[in-house]
């Protein structure tokens, strides 16, 4: 089987959400001595991008994004030992720490964003819901995050977004991170008022904003 | 029916499963059920007219709920129920609960598709934000004046003593208490002292704030709203609210908001999940009424063609097979004072009314812009609803298709409109000329689609 065909199989496996197929293709690739980094970029990542595009036009939904992510991880698991042997480094768009702020338990919109970010090559650490101020900051530092993303779906939980930014300032580490905010009642005015680097209304816009913010780092 | 504590013990003793596994199991079982029952979205008919499919959606929802149960995020366990237990609950669910007191007391009864009975009018923008107590009082008084209104929901105040209310703090407790006190006074001023407040404490995010607020003027004939988390999940906080309400003898408004594009997938899954929520609202949330708002994940509203279809077919299925009352909320993408809001309002109201159940009118501007609500938007919903009594689904479908053609393409960039203070006189509660003229212009346009109004 040609290199191009094997890489195409990897991409198809992601789009078809087929973990068995992705593992077979990845093993096949190793047997044939194909560069795993090329396979990731042109096969697995390209498949994730295609799934993200399908989501954006309403051809698939959150469960498909999650299953695509699981399929991607299954492929990476096979390829990782080969990458380690070669000493090469897998490229990534950036490290994104994400959560819903304290007092707020809304999760699905945040999960959609997490998956869409993954389709664009971000390493995403989803801290979950009702995330405390200290957890946001300590995890961002620990994981050397590029971007902190905070979701708030209630007017009474929006102030927690401001708290995190003020805490970062008081610790003298505000400039180490780009900070994005989102959620139903949040808007650009609020983002400006609290000193966030950006606001996005939808998950798609948030991904575009994250890519743009990475260019400013 | 299983009693509440028997249900609660299942959250303590049911099988452990990770939340992600539950979510993916939810997706897979929902997909399988949709396929098994042959449920198919028809974009050409936002109001379907196939009784067999409506019954299939109901049967699918029942089977799906039996398979998936409700997840507890505090114990990471699933409470499941047998078909017999679900059917018993359905049979024994409240069928004619009374909300309100004195002359404002009224039975809330289930209403079948194409009914010529007026629907229950639950007035207000559920949980929408207003700046402070002054706006809250004016809005609630305005809600109390909406003709034919049966109950209200209060908005959430965002400031108290000039400071932002912060979740899980004493400010939230104070805000919740003041919301009840101010709203009850405003309804008295409107001459509707006994009008039930079915969601008086939307400011509260915690059980403590909700329970505290309810001590300052709510009575059992109002209602404590207990929400479900998406999808089909509960936590101890919400279950605490149920326990409190049950022991007060209070009405419970069991809320759900299934999301199109999330774990429900597309419109077919959304419709089936909405039925599952209906069953959960009886067994787990112990509702006196089920209040639901299926919503689009991207547009944060429910006037798109696919959400209208889902609402219609699931409301038909529920209303044909359950005597447990159902209320459905409209959430518009556009805001007050825009032409688009009247088109969306009419499409949503007609769809809900001819498909069965009562309505909550009305969230505007995706329910997220502060002070973007007026008492006359629900008044328009009421007028539209009354013009549809006895209307056939086929006729309603044609009108809704025409209305969709007026706004559908604008949903992604919907105008947010203006604030209440910009459109209405805060003292007299009368609309300014701009809003008044638009209201009557749009009402006249509705007549051209075949809707008939008393005045």
């Amino acid at each position: 089987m040609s290199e191009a065909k094997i890489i195409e199989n990897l991409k198809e496996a992601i789009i078809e959400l087929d973990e068995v197929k992705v593992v077979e293709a990845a093993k096949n690739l190793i047997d044939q001595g194909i560069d795993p980094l090329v396979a990731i970029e042109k096969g697995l990542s390209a498949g994730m991008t295609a799934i993200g595009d399908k989501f954006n036009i309403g051809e698939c939904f959150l469960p498909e994004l999650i299953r695509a992510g699981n399929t991607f991880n299954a492929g990476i698991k096979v390829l990782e030992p080969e990458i380690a042997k070669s000493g090469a480094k897998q490229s990534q768009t950036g490290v994104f720490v994400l959560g819903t702020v304290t007092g707020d338990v809304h999760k699905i919109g945040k999960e959609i964003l997490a998956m869409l970010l993954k389709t664009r090559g971000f390493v995403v650490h989803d801290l979950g819901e009702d995330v405390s101020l200290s957890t946001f900051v300590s995890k961002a530092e620990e994981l050397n995050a590029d971007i902190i993303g905070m979701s708030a779906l209630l007017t009474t939980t929006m102030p927690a977004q401001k708290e995190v930014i003020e805490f970062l300032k008081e610790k003298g580490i505000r400039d180490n991170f780009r900070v994005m905010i989102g959620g139903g009642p949040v808007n650009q005015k609020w983002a400006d008022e609290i000193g966030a680097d950006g606001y996005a209304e939808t998950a798609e816009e948030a991904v575009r904003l994250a890519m743009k913010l990475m260019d400013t780092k | 029916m299983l009693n509440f504590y028997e249900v609660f013990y299942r959250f303590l003793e049911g099988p452990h499963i990770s939340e992600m596994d539950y979510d993916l199991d939810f997706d897979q079982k929902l997909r399988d059920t949709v396929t098994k029952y042959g449920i198919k979205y028809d974009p050409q008919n936002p109001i379907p007219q196939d009784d067999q499919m409506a019954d299939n959606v109901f049967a699918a929802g029942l089977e799906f709920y039996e398979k998936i149960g409700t997840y507890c995020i505090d114990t990471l366990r699933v409470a499941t129920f047998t078909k017999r237990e679900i059917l018993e609950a359905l049979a024994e669910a409240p069928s004619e609960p009374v909300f309100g007191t004195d002359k404002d007391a009224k039975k809330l009864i289930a209403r079948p598709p194409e009914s010529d009975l007026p629907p229950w009018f639950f007035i207000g923008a559920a949980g929408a934000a207003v700046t402070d107590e002054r706006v809250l009082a004016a809005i609630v008084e305005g809600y109390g004046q909406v003709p034919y209104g049966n109950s209200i929901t209060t908005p959430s105040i965002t400031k108290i003593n000039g400071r932002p209310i912060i979740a899980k703090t004493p400010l939230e407790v104070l805000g919740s208490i003041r919301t009840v006190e101010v709203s009850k006074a405003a309804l008295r001023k409107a001459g509707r002292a006994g009008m039930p407040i079915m969601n008086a404490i939307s400011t509260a995010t915690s059980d403590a704030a909700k329970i505290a607020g309810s001590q300052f003027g709510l009575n059992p004939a109002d209602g404590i709203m207990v929400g479900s988390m998406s999808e089909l999940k509960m936590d101890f906080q919400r279950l605490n609210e149920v326990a409190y309400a049950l022991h007060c003898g209070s009405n419970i408004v069991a809320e759900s908001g299934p999301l199109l594009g999330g774990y429900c997938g597309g419109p077919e899954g959304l419709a089936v999940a909405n039925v599952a929520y209906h069953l959960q609202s009886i067994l787990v949330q112990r509702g006196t009424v089920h209040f639901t708002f299926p919503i689009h994940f991207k547009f944060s509203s429910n006037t798109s063609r696919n959400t209208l279809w889902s609402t219609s077919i699931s409301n038909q299925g529920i209303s044909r097979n359950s005597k447990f009352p159902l209320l459905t909320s409209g959430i518009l993408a556009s805001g007050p004072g825009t032409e688009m809001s009247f088109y969306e309002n009419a499409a949503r109201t007609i769809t809900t009314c001819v498909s069965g159940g009562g309505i909550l009118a009305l969230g505007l501007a995706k329910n997220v812009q502060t002070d973007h609500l007026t008492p006359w938007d629900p008044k328009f919903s009421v007028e539209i609803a009354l013009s549809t009594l006895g209307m056939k689904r086929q006729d309603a479908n044609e009108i809704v298709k025409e209305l969709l053609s007026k706004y559908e393409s604008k949903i992604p960039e919907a105008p947010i409109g203006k604030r209440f203070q910009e459109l209405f006189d805060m003292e007299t509660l009368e609309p300014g000329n701009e809003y008044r003229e638009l209201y009557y212009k749009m009402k006249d346009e509705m007549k051209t689609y075949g809707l008939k109004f008393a005045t």
Side-chain angles (χ1 to χ4, degrees):
Chain A
M1 196 182 290
S2 70
E3 177 175 332
K5 179 63 186 163
I6 293 172
I7 288 175
E8 185 59 25
N9 280 351
L10 278 176
K11 182 179 170 184
E12 278 176 13
I14 298 284
I15 295 168
E16 292 164 10
L17 316 175
D18 190 336
E19 290 191 34
V20 175
K21 185 172 177 176
V22 88
V23 167
E24 272 176 21
K27 284 180 178 166
N28 203 354
L29 181 145
I30 292 168
D31 291 344
Q32 306 229 3
I34 299 167
D35 181 349
L37 290 179
V38 172
I40 289 172
E41 185 192 337
K42 294 186 176 169
L44 296 178
S45 296
M48 290 295 282
T49 303
I51 282 284
D53 291 342
K54 278 163 74 93
F55 179 85
N56 289 337
I57 58 171
E59 282 186 8
C60 72
F61 302 108
L62 176 61
E64 285 88 347
L65 290 180
I66 291 173
R67 290 181 200 281
N70 291 344
T71 310
F72 179 89
N73 291 339
I76 289 284
K77 200 173 166 187
V78 177
L79 298 177
E80 260 174 355
E82 293 302 308
I83 297 169
K85 270 189 227 164
S86 71
K89 285 216 165 174
Q90 204 181 317
S91 70
Q92 59 185 42
T93 311
V95 176
F96 201 111
V97 165
L98 177 66
T100 308
V101 297
T102 186
D104 204 322
V105 294
H106 291 86
K107 67 178 284 197
I108 294 182
K110 169 182 63 66
E111 286 187 343
I112 290 172
L113 174 59
M115 295 313 302
L116 283 181
L117 286 166
K118 287 179 187 175
T119 69
R120 293 298 185 266
F122 279 92
V123 174
V124 181
H125 298 276
D126 186 347
L127 305 180
E129 302 78 46
D130 198 9
V131 178
S132 69
L133 160 70
S134 60
T135 303
F136 265 116
V137 176
S138 62
K139 282 289 175 187
E141 282 188 296
E142 177 192 326
L143 298 163
N144 198 22
D146 294 299
I147 302 177
I148 300 172
M150 292 182 283
S151 172
L153 271 287
L154 304 166
T155 50
T156 52
T157 56
M158 284 165 59
Q161 296 175 324
K162 184 182 175 194
E163 284 295 306
V164 170
I165 292 173
E166 287 184 355
F167 192 55
L168 290 170
K169 283 182 188 163
E170 284 165 22
K171 285 192 78 178
I173 56 173
R174 171 67 183 87
D175 294 339
N176 295 0
F177 311 102
R178 297 289 179 266
V179 179
M180 286 172 55
I181 59 170
V186 176
N187 55 31
Q188 187 60 51
K189 187 169 166 255
W190 173 245
D192 295 340
E193 194 179 321
I194 67 174
D197 296 305
Y199 150 77
E201 187 177 353
T202 66
E204 284 169 68
E205 285 173 26
V207 173
R208 283 196 291 274
L209 175 63
M211 307 280 275
K212 200 169 140 192
L213 289 177
M214 286 308 298
D215 290 340
T216 66
K217 285 217 49 147
Chain B
M1 181 173 15
L2 289 174
N3 78 38
F4 172 67
Y5 290 96
E6 285 173 305
V7 171
F8 177 65
Y9 298 144
R10 296 196 187 183
F11 288 124
L12 299 179
E13 294 158 6
H16 272 123
I17 178 171
S18 76
E19 192 170 0
M20 178 58 77
D21 285 344
Y22 176 82
D23 290 338
L24 292 176
D25 201 28
F26 179 102
D27 163 56
Q28 192 59 55
K29 287 187 167 126
L30 187 55
R31 263 171 220 267
D32 293 346
T33 312
V34 165
T35 304
K36 177 179 169 184
Y37 282 86
I39 298 157
K40 195 81 190 146
Y41 169 50
D42 175 10
Q44 300 309 313
N45 292 297
I47 301 179
Q49 300 124 51
D50 181 344
D51 287 345
Q52 185 59 56
M53 185 166 71
D55 291 345
N56 285 350
V57 166
F58 189 82
L62 200 154
E63 184 174 316
F64 171 62
Y65 190 56
E66 182 193 350
K67 285 179 180 167
I68 194 71
T70 298
Y71 188 72
C72 177
I73 66 163
D74 286 312
T75 61
L76 311 183
R77 293 178 190 268
V78 181
T80 53
F81 308 99
T82 64
K83 186 174 181 183
R84 180 188 297 274
E85 288 168 340
I86 297 169
L87 289 174
E88 276 174 5
L90 197 57
E92 294 170 27
S95 59
E96 294 188 343
V98 175
F99 282 83
T101 54
D102 304 322
K103 74 181 177 60
D104 291 306
K106 194 176 174 189
K107 280 182 185 172
L108 202 180
I109 54 174
R111 183 173 164 275
E114 301 180 355
S115 173
D116 54 7
L117 292 173
W120 182 275
F121 293 115
F122 183 13
I123 304 296
V130 292
T131 314
D132 53 26
E133 289 185 16
R134 198 174 67 97
V135 185
L136 172 72
I139 281 285
V140 171
E141 186 184 345
Y143 286 163
Q145 294 173 354
V146 173
Y148 303 99
N150 300 115
S151 60
I152 70 152
T153 166
T154 67
S156 308
I157 50 174
T158 55
K159 286 184 179 170
I160 193 95
N161 301 336
R163 299 179 68 109
I165 292 176
I166 301 171
K168 296 203 295 191
T169 70
L171 291 176
E172 183 185 82
V173 173
L174 180 58
S176 300
I177 291 169
R178 287 299 297 153
T179 301
V180 175
E181 290 176 333
V182 169
S183 299
K184 281 288 180 183
L187 285 178
R188 278 194 290 276
K189 194 172 168 206
R192 300 292 306 271
M195 191 179 197
I197 307 181
M198 285 179 155
N199 178 21
I201 319 163
S202 49
T203 299
T205 61
S206 67
D207 48 355
K210 195 173 283 187
I211 291 168
S214 71
Q215 297 293 315
F216 289 81
L218 281 194
N219 65 59
D222 285 298
I224 290 181
M225 187 173 279
V226 179
S228 173
M229 302 164 81
S230 294
E231 302 292 357
L232 291 177
K233 293 176 189 170
M234 295 293 283
D235 62 6
F236 283 166
Q237 178 170 302
R238 284 161 178 76
L239 294 166
N240 290 343
E241 293 167 7
V242 174
Y244 170 76
L246 287 176
H247 289 265
C248 295
S250 174
N251 286 327
I252 294 176
V253 181
E255 179 204 38
S256 59
L259 192 68
L260 186 144
Y263 293 105
C264 295
E268 299 93 341
L270 186 70
V272 173
N274 203 36
V275 173
Y277 272 114
H278 187 73
L279 304 169
Q280 177 189 268
S281 73
I282 302 168
L283 261 167
V284 179
Q285 293 160 271
R286 313 305 286 194
T288 317
V289 58
H290 176 208
F291 162 59
T292 188
F293 59 100
I295 192 162
H296 194 289
F297 77 102
K298 193 184 289 185
F299 305 140
S300 303
S301 56
N302 56 22
T303 59
S304 63
R305 189 176 289 262
N306 46 12
T307 48
L308 290 180
W309 181 90
S310 289
T311 300
S312 179
I313 196 68
S314 62
N315 276 28
Q316 290 180 43
I318 290 169
S319 302
R320 285 172 53 80
N321 291 278
S322 168
K323 288 182 182 169
F324 180 54
L326 171 71
L327 300 171
T328 310
S329 172
I331 299 176
L332 313 186
S334 58
T338 63
E339 279 193 6
M340 182 173 166
S341 68
F342 289 89
Y343 292 127
E344 286 188 279
N345 186 344
R348 182 75 202 172
T349 302
I350 292 169
T351 302
T352 308
C353 284
V354 302
S355 303
I359 62 169
L360 179 141
L362 180 76
L364 292 123
K366 304 176 184 177
N367 235 13
V368 296
Q369 301 289 336
T370 301
D371 298 335
H372 279 64
L373 67 181
T374 80
W376 276 40
D377 291 287
K379 176 181 149 94
F380 190 74
S381 309
V382 170
E383 293 207 69
I384 294 287
L386 294 176
S387 77
T388 67
L389 301 186
M391 185 182 279
K392 298 294 172 203
R393 284 166 287 175
Q394 189 176 0
D395 297 331
N397 185 49
E398 293 308 313
I399 298 172
V400 167
K401 283 199 283 188
E402 198 155 353
L403 291 167
L404 273 164
S405 72
K406 300 280 184 185
Y407 70 81
E408 199 171 13
S409 63
K410 299 175 188 161
I411 292 176
E413 304 290 337
I416 64 169
K418 293 184 178 175
R419 293 183 303 140
F420 174 52
Q421 301 91 314
E422 296 172 278
L423 296 168
F424 278 66
D425 182 315
M426 290 273 285
E427 301 301 323
T428 65
L429 302 180
E430 286 295 317
N433 285 340
E434 179 191 358
Y435 186 95
R436 186 187 296 275
E437 283 169 15
L438 179 63
Y439 185 98
Y440 288 111
K441 182 187 125 185
M442 297 308 293
K443 187 173 165 183
D444 284 343
E445 185 174 332
M446 295 299 145
K447 292 173 187 167
T448 68
Y449 304 133
L451 296 177
K452 292 186 174 63
F453 301 98
T455 56

